[in-house]
Amino acid sequence: MPLSSKLPDFPWDLLEPAKKVASAHPGGLVDLSIGTPVDPVPPAIRAALAGASDAPGYPQTAGTPALREAMASWVRRSCATTAPVGVLPTIGSKELVGWLPTLLGLGPGDVVAIPEVCYPTYEVGVQLSGATAVRADSLTALGPDPRVRLLWINSPSNPTGKVLPVAHLRKVVAWARERGVTVVSDECYLTLGWETVPVSILADEVCDGDVTGLLAVHSLSKRSNLAGYRAGFVAGDPALVGELLAVRKHAGMIMPAPVQAAMVAGLGDEDHVAEQRARYSSRRVILREALLGAGFRIDHSEAGLYLWSTRDEDCWATVQWLAERGVLAAPGAFYGPAGARHVRVALTASDERVAAAAERLAP
């Protein structure tokens, strides 16, 4: 049996009919369905990439010394941790999410807990490994099941923008350590808090300076507009990171040398991050006001690059309503059954397209 037959339909293929409707709008399509950056790659990062383009030899799976130091320094600053951490570059964050259960040796008979509403690749990664995925937002919902080996959390959440407070994160860490469960925190939107300040699972105030059993996933896709570079990394428990490195070296999961150089430049500069954050903040205000004015309710969305919006109807009806106005959003059903009455509206469109969407949503 082909492996693909065991996987769900690729979500975005299901959106093609609505995209066709939205694209027929006289003013053109406003695509707010996929969170793909549209703004330029910062010049310093592009220069670093070009400067490292003469790279005839094989790169290091572990990353160059400069990259390892850049990742570790960024984690110390941005994740507020004093613990020694392992760091490892990944070919974007989705690659790691999709293969992490397999890389950690999970398989049939193991259980991986994922959020009730979450990025679809968490579940796909579990299916690829042969393990079983269980959706649960509370620790009590998991019960005493000894088969649970891995727990995914995502704060700020994609798609909801929900941020988990420190008290909850501490409970997760304590629960997992009592049971020998690995906790993996997807923190790709950590620096994009709007109404609150997200906290890393690696922060001293969460784990008391001990990152044993903890991993955090990060990405430069949104903060630095590097989705096209596939530039991500994982940080945390040095033993777990060492295991990932050992397996990845065999599997050829190596970040290209020029991208490693670009990452060093991106992680070492926060000015471009502040500029991009300001762009998203402006677009968020415009889209939020437009959606509220059109009768939507926005839930959570206190961080990240999405507005978790609802008209209190089936999400596909909302997708169609928006498509008829030339606006494409992602149906909440993509992210799990609990999302079936919401749509995810991305902030990742140009100022002109965001203004067009706001105009079309006006009563």
Side-chain angles (χ1 to χ4, degrees):
M1 180 182 295
L3 179 58
S4 62
S5 68
K6 302 178 183 179
L7 302 177
D9 292 332
F10 188 63
W12 304 106
D13 291 345
L14 304 177
L15 202 53
E16 283 302 315
K19 185 175 183 179
K20 184 176 181 180
V21 172
S23 298
H25 190 279
L29 170 69
V30 178
D31 192 346
L32 306 179
S33 65
I34 301 179
T36 185
V38 299
D39 300 302
V41 174
I45 296 177
R46 295 168 63 185
L49 182 82
S53 61
D54 185 13
Y58 290 111
Q60 294 176 278
T61 305
T64 62
L67 177 55
R68 293 197 296 273
E69 176 54 33
M71 292 185 292
S73 295
W74 187 91
V75 169
R76 288 193 292 269
R77 296 193 312 271
S78 299
C79 297
T81 183
T82 58
V85 295
V87 290
L88 183 63
T90 62
I91 311 165
S93 60
K94 183 174 184 177
E95 169 259 301
L96 181 73
V97 172
W99 290 107
L100 186 64
T102 299
L103 294 172
L104 290 177
L106 274 64
D110 297 322
V111 169
V112 178
I114 63 175
E116 290 187 13
V117 178
C118 65
Y119 185 44
T121 310
Y122 298 149
E123 185 171 24
V124 169
V126 179
Q127 293 170 326
L128 287 170
S129 73
T132 300
V134 173
R135 292 180 181 268
D137 285 342
S138 70
L139 299 173
T140 54
L142 292 174
D145 191 344
R147 298 176 303 156
V148 178
R149 297 274 310 282
L150 180 68
L151 172 66
W152 273 105
I153 59 174
N154 180 205
S155 177
S157 165
N158 171 17
T160 71
K162 182 178 180 180
V163 173
L164 299 176
V166 170
H168 180 82
L169 294 174
R170 288 184 63 87
K171 288 180 181 177
V172 168
V173 171
W175 179 91
R177 285 181 172 165
E178 288 176 1
R179 294 160 177 80
V181 174
T182 298
V183 178
V184 188
S185 180
D186 181 347
E187 300 176 355
C188 289
Y189 299 89
L190 185 71
T191 59
L192 289 166
W194 307 114
E195 299 166 13
T196 189
V197 179
V199 177
S200 172
I201 195 77
L202 304 180
D204 287 349
E205 61 181 314
V206 172
C207 67
D208 297 324
D210 178 6
V211 298
T212 303
L214 307 178
L215 293 172
V217 180
H218 289 279
S219 169
L220 278 72
S221 291
K222 308 303 192 298
R223 72 184 295 276
S224 301
N225 299 331
L226 293 190
Y229 283 45
R230 309 316 299 134
F233 66 96
V234 61
D237 184 341
L240 288 173
V241 172
E243 176 64 15
L244 292 175
L245 172 60
V247 178
R248 291 171 69 86
K249 286 196 292 186
H250 283 290
M253 293 177 169
I254 311 171
M255 176 179 288
V259 178
Q260 294 192 30
M263 277 188 70
V264 173
L267 290 169
D269 172 48
E270 295 297 328
D271 289 344
H272 78 275
V273 178
E275 292 174 6
Q276 188 59 45
R277 178 185 168 88
R279 293 187 187 106
Y280 286 136
S281 178
S282 175
R283 293 164 188 167
R284 180 178 183 272
V285 169
I286 293 169
L287 285 173
R288 186 176 186 277
E289 292 180 354
L291 288 164
L292 293 174
F296 283 78
R297 185 182 79 243
I298 298 174
D299 293 329
H300 304 303
S301 307
E302 59 262 33
L305 289 182
Y306 310 103
L307 295 170
W308 189 234
S309 310
T310 181
R311 284 162 45 95
D312 199 24
E313 63 185 3
D314 180 82
C315 61
W316 285 104
T318 306
V319 167
Q320 182 64 25
W321 186 89
L322 289 166
E324 290 168 357
R325 288 154 181 79
V327 178
L328 192 64
F334 281 4
Y335 308 95
R341 299 185 75 81
H342 284 75
V343 295
R344 192 192 75 169
V345 179
L347 310 181
T348 51
S350 68
D351 292 344
E352 184 274 330
R353 289 288 84 186
V354 167
E359 182 179 348
R360 295 174 192 183
L361 291 173

